[in-house]
């Protein structure tokens, strides 16, 4: 068969420390027993699932195809082959510094491993000019190739998620300062360069909480705050950000390595766009609209693609169904959406065949009135990277509804 002659890359298998389920459950029950509290079985199973996920992440590996895909999504208009080799090598070192493993590079030259990665990604990349590599998106029909490259890139998310949200938060604060005349280019002479450290951590904390499902992490505000502060210290030790002197008592940080900060942001910005699209779509449900989960997901995908073509969002990967589905789950967890089940309607099916109940989504009373949903949309939108030439005012709810009238109808 022809398929057996094809090369699909390699598989890396690493055995971690065994996790004894019985011991884990017994230890959990003993711990909660001392606290004299009752813990449902579902909570124990959930904690066990996160423990297994943490172990998987701790032993995770990636290949150079993941690294190369990440670089290509930063340089969507193309990057020279030598520069791709150089940056892929640098990103590989960054992964190693964070305890990750990049397989298939031992004993091979940097150019060889990049060539091999491009060979495996041949359906998603193109070289229209000599030594210029770019994503294969020469027509709209090929836009899904960016989602394909995004799946490769997301493999790196576990190692960079905290630094990624810090990068997005820094970008948001810096852009706000520039727009309000307080940016580093204006106020450096006044000793107010960079952004406020606490505001940076607060913004990153919000993003990390919002994207918990993407990072496959349990929501733990106290632990997450400590980890974000540690990640910020790591960025400072790597001279990506540095502390700056201020005339006030506040502590500020300023970007030094803007290229690294941009790379970190690129890992997270597509997810932020997806969640913003999800929030924006909910305006059509006010005041008492109701829609099935499947219909809303289809609408979200249509809306995300339309917004991309209208230059309202920057990343086609934001159209990913899986990410949009996670966004709806988060909004339900945040009590923005509520759900109920409705028995299937229509012709009666055969006695032995039962159709599943239809799940309906609607806004909770708090978000069905004016004000709250707008505030949430604005807060998420603040951390987005807008398409080139787009002003933040043009992405407000009013402007988006004006450009996409169908958005107001469900």
């Amino acid at each position: 068969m022809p398929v057996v002659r094809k090369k699909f890359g390699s598989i890396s298998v690493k055995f971690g420390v065994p996790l004894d389920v019985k011991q884990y459950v017994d230890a959990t029950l003993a711990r909660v027993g001392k606290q004299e509290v009752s813990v449902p079985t579902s909570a124990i199973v959930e904690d066990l699932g996160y423990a297994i996920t943490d172990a998987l992440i701790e032993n995770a590996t990636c290949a150079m195809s993941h690294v190369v895909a990440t670089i290509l999504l930063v340089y969507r208009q193309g990057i020279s082959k030598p520069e791709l080799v150089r940056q892929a090598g640098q990103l590989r070192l960054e992964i190693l510094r964070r305890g990750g493993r990049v397989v298939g590079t031992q004993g091979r030259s940097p150019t060889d491993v990049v060539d091999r990665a491009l060979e495996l990604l041949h359906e998603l990349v193109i070289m229209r000019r000599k030594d210029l590599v770019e994503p294969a998106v020469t027509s709209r029909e090929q836009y899904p190739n960016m989602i394909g490259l995004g799946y490769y890139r997301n493999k790196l998310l576990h190692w960079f998620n905290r630094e990624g949200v810090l990068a997005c938060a820094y970008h948001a604060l810096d852009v706000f300062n520039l727009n309000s005349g307080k940016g580093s280019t204006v106020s450096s002479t006044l000793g107010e360069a960079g952004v406020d450290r606490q505001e940076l951590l607060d913004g990153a904390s919000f993003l990390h909480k919002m994207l918990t499902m993407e990072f496959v992490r349990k929501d733990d505000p106290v632990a997450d705050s400590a980890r974000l502060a540690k990640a910020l210290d790591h960025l400072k030790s790597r001279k990506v950000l540095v502390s700056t002197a201020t005339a006030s008592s506040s502590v500020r940080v300023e970007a030094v390595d803007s290229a690294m900060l941009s790379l970190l942001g690129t890992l997270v910005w597509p997810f932020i766009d997806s969640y913003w699209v999800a929030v924006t779509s909910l305006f059509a449900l006010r005041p008492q609209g109701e829609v099935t989960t499947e219909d809303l997901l289809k609408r979200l995908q249509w809306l995300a693609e339309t917004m991309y073509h209208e230059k309202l969002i920057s990343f086609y990967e934001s159209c990913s169904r899986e990410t949009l589905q996670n966004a709806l789950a988060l909004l339900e967890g945040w009590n923005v959406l509520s759900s109920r089940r409705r028995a299937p309607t229509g012709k009666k099916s055969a006695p032995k065949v039962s159709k599943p109940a239809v799940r309906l989504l609607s806004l909770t009373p708090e978000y069905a009135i004016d004000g709250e949903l707008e505030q949430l949309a604005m807060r998420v939108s603040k951390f987005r990277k807008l398409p080139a030439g787009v002003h933040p005012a043009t992405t407000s709810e009013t402007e988006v509804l004006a450009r996409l009238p169908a958005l107001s109808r469900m």
Side-chain angles (χ1 to χ4, degrees):
M1 295 176 63
V3 70
V4 300
R5 300 190 186 97
K6 292 186 177 181
K7 295 181 179 180
F8 296 95
S10 58
I11 296 176
S12 174
V13 179
K14 181 181 179 182
F15 294 95
V17 178
L19 179 63
D20 190 306
V21 175
K22 186 177 185 304
Q23 287 183 5
Y24 182 90
V25 173
D26 289 344
T28 302
L29 292 175
R31 184 175 65 254
V32 299
K34 292 180 180 179
Q35 299 172 351
E36 297 183 352
V37 294
S38 176
V39 178
T41 303
S42 59
I44 297 177
V45 173
E46 181 179 306
D47 287 344
L48 175 60
Y50 281 117
I52 294 172
T53 302
D54 288 342
L56 290 172
I57 293 173
E58 187 177 344
N59 292 280
T61 62
C62 74
M64 283 302 290
S65 52
H66 301 103
V67 175
V68 169
T70 301
I71 301 297
L72 289 175
L73 286 175
V74 176
Y75 297 92
R76 299 179 184 228
Q77 303 304 315
I79 180 173
S80 69
K81 181 76 170 297
E83 183 64 12
L84 176 61
V85 172
R86 186 187 71 82
Q87 293 207 24
Q90 287 185 338
L91 182 53
R92 172 181 169 272
L93 291 177
E94 293 294 339
I95 294 170
L96 297 178
R97 290 189 182 107
R98 290 157 180 79
R101 295 171 63 237
V102 184
V103 298
T105 61
Q106 294 75 14
R108 303 171 66 184
S109 71
T111 301
D112 286 343
V113 295
V114 169
D115 284 339
R116 177 57 177 154
L118 291 174
E119 182 183 342
L120 293 171
L121 296 170
H122 71 278
E123 294 182 351
L124 304 175
V125 300
I126 191 173
M127 294 182 66
R128 288 187 289 182
R129 286 178 284 172
K130 184 180 179 181
D131 280 345
L132 186 70
V133 188
E134 58 186 298
V137 285
T138 56
S139 64
R140 283 196 176 190
E141 289 72 23
Q142 290 184 309
Y143 281 177
N145 286 344
M146 286 188 279
I147 295 180
L149 289 171
Y151 283 135
Y152 280 90
R153 177 192 57 199
N154 292 347
K155 177 74 173 179
L156 276 58
L157 202 59
H158 300 305
W159 295 304
F160 296 97
N161 62 77
R162 297 185 190 96
E163 294 168 63
V165 295
L166 283 165
C168 293
Y170 182 92
H171 177 269
L173 290 169
D174 194 45
V175 168
F176 173 79
N177 288 342
L178 287 172
N179 290 337
S180 60
K182 299 178 182 178
S184 55
T185 57
V186 175
S187 60
S188 57
T189 57
L190 303 176
E192 293 296 325
V195 303
D196 182 83
R197 180 182 183 275
Q198 190 55 52
E199 289 183 5
L200 175 61
L201 287 172
D202 290 344
S205 180
F206 169 77
L207 287 177
H208 196 273
K209 182 179 178 66
M210 183 178 77
L211 300 175
T212 296
M213 295 184 70
E214 309 300 336
F215 303 151
V216 199
R217 293 291 189 181
K218 184 177 181 180
D219 186 19
D220 187 341
V222 176
D224 288 340
S225 294
R227 291 172 185 140
L228 284 170
K230 185 177 180 180
L232 178 56
D233 290 339
H234 176 78
L235 288 174
K236 290 164 67 176
S237 69
R238 297 293 305 162
K239 303 301 181 185
V240 178
L241 297 172
V242 296
S243 298
T244 60
T246 64
S248 61
S249 59
S250 64
V251 179
R252 300 180 73 82
V253 292
E254 185 178 13
V256 176
D257 189 348
S258 57
M260 184 61 186
L261 212 60
S262 179
L263 172 62
L264 292 170
T266 304
L267 292 168
V268 178
W269 276 319
F271 295 103
I272 299 175
D273 268 355
S274 293
Y275 282 62
W276 178 73
V277 170
V279 174
T280 304
S281 72
L282 301 184
F283 287 108
L285 290 178
R286 293 195 308 194
Q288 296 178 332
E290 200 171 41
V291 64
T292 66
T293 303
E294 184 60 29
D295 286 344
L296 184 54
L297 272 174
K298 290 178 180 178
R299 179 179 176 81
L300 283 180
Q301 284 188 286
W302 166 83
L303 181 59
E305 290 196 30
T306 303
M307 285 184 165
Y308 179 79
H309 296 315
E310 292 289 329
K311 298 189 183 303
L312 289 170
I313 61 176
S314 300
F315 307 96
Y316 191 83
E317 310 93 280
S318 303
C319 306
S320 168
R321 178 185 173 92
E322 290 82 357
T323 307
L324 294 169
Q325 193 167 9
N326 286 344
L328 290 182
L330 173 96
L331 292 170
E332 192 172 351
W334 279 5
N335 293 320
V336 177
L337 288 171
S338 62
S339 64
R340 71 179 182 90
R341 294 191 178 276
R342 182 187 67 191
T345 58
K347 296 181 180 180
K348 291 185 177 180
S349 56
K352 293 184 179 180
V353 179
S354 59
K355 292 184 178 180
V358 178
R359 192 163 176 268
L360 297 172
L361 294 174
S362 61
L363 288 169
T364 58
E366 180 182 0
Y367 287 89
I369 58 176
D370 291 344
E372 293 298 326
L373 195 58
E374 285 84 353
Q375 288 295 322
L376 179 59
M378 287 176 59
R379 190 173 188 189
V380 176
S381 181
K382 172 184 176 181
F383 298 101
R384 298 172 55 223
K385 183 180 182 182
L386 299 179
V390 174
H391 191 274
T394 63
T395 62
S396 66
E397 175 219 347
T398 305
E399 290 294 329
V400 172
L401 286 174
R403 292 179 64 176
L404 302 175
L407 180 59
S408 62
R409 302 185 297 273
M410 183 61 70

